[in-house]
Amino acid sequence: MGSTDGDNFTGYMYLNNKGFKLCSEANWDGTNYGADLSTDAQAANISLPTGDADGYYKVDISLSTKKMTFTPITIIGLVGDATPNGWPSDANPKGDAVMTYNVADRAWEISGVTLKSGELKFRANYAWDINWGGTTDNLTQSGANIKITEDGTYDIKLYAWADGFAKYEITKK
């Protein structure tokens, strides 16, 4: 998860109702957080809010207030003049080229999409409140448009983990 102030964190992850904990390190050597963001070694697992299904979520955490917010992400799509349906408009608000989540690769992907020279962005849930742009290895919320320089058919993967940890792969076929 990413943070700019050491108190508020945002990350994107596939979660299930089996329970989970959050770690400050890539292993269990750092601070670990369980239910109610407790750091007690015996803390129960964190659970999704009642009624929330397994799926991909934007997770916002405030350590000072011990508050967690889960925003379901049901689709991530490509939009832009480089994409088959262009930028969203009133006439075409849901024209995104829809990606599929690959649990094993922890990535959103689309295969065989036809792109043309132009620009694109990734966005969630057919809206702009969650969107990514920027460079290959540094996608950020509301980042710059991504440039496509050559018409063709592409495979694309999006690894939307957190600002500073999000990246994409675009492979021309």
Side-chain angles (χ1 to χ4, degrees), residues 115-118 148-154 172:
L115 300 178
K116 57 189 174 199
S117 180
I148 301 299
T149 59
E150 191 176 343
D151 294 1
T153 303
Y154 291 83
K172 188 168 190 271

Side-chain angles (χ1 to χ4, degrees), residues 17-167:
N17 280 306
K18 296 178 183 171
F20 56 94
K21 291 189 177 176
L22 300 172
C23 307
S24 64
E25 302 288 331
N27 53 38
W28 295 102
D29 293 341
T31 304
N32 305 304
Y33 299 89
D36 300 319
L37 297 176
S38 171
T39 57
D40 185 309
Q42 302 305 315
N45 285 340
I46 299 167
S47 297
L48 288 170
T50 302
D52 281 1
D54 295 3
Y56 201 77
Y57 290 87
K58 175 186 178 202
V59 181
D60 292 297
I61 296 173
S62 169
L63 295 178
S64 61
T65 64
K66 302 228 183 247
K67 182 178 178 185
M68 295 181 70
T69 304
F70 298 89
T71 303
I73 295 178
T74 55
I75 74 107
I76 290 182
L78 301 172
V79 294
D81 58 9
T83 68
N85 295 320
W87 292 106
S89 65
D90 291 341
N92 188 26
K94 294 185 176 181
D96 305 40
V98 176
M99 303 178 84
T100 303
Y101 189 68
N102 180 324
V103 175
D105 287 350
R106 295 178 50 214
W108 289 85
E109 58 190 15
I110 187 169
S111 296
V113 63
T114 302
L115 300 178
K116 57 189 174 199
S117 180
E119 298 181 337
L120 63 80
K121 288 190 94 161
F122 300 97
R123 71 177 188 156
N125 300 334
Y126 299 111
W128 288 107
D129 53 331
I130 302 173
N131 73 85
W132 298 270
T135 60
T136 305
D137 289 321
N138 189 22
L139 288 176
T140 59
Q141 171 67 28
S142 300
N145 294 347
I146 298 162
K147 295 189 184 338
I148 301 299
T149 59
E150 191 176 343
D151 294 1
T153 303
Y154 291 83
D155 291 341
I156 301 173
K157 282 192 171 190
L158 167 66
Y159 302 89
W161 299 324
D163 277 2
F165 299 98
K167 64 182 182 175

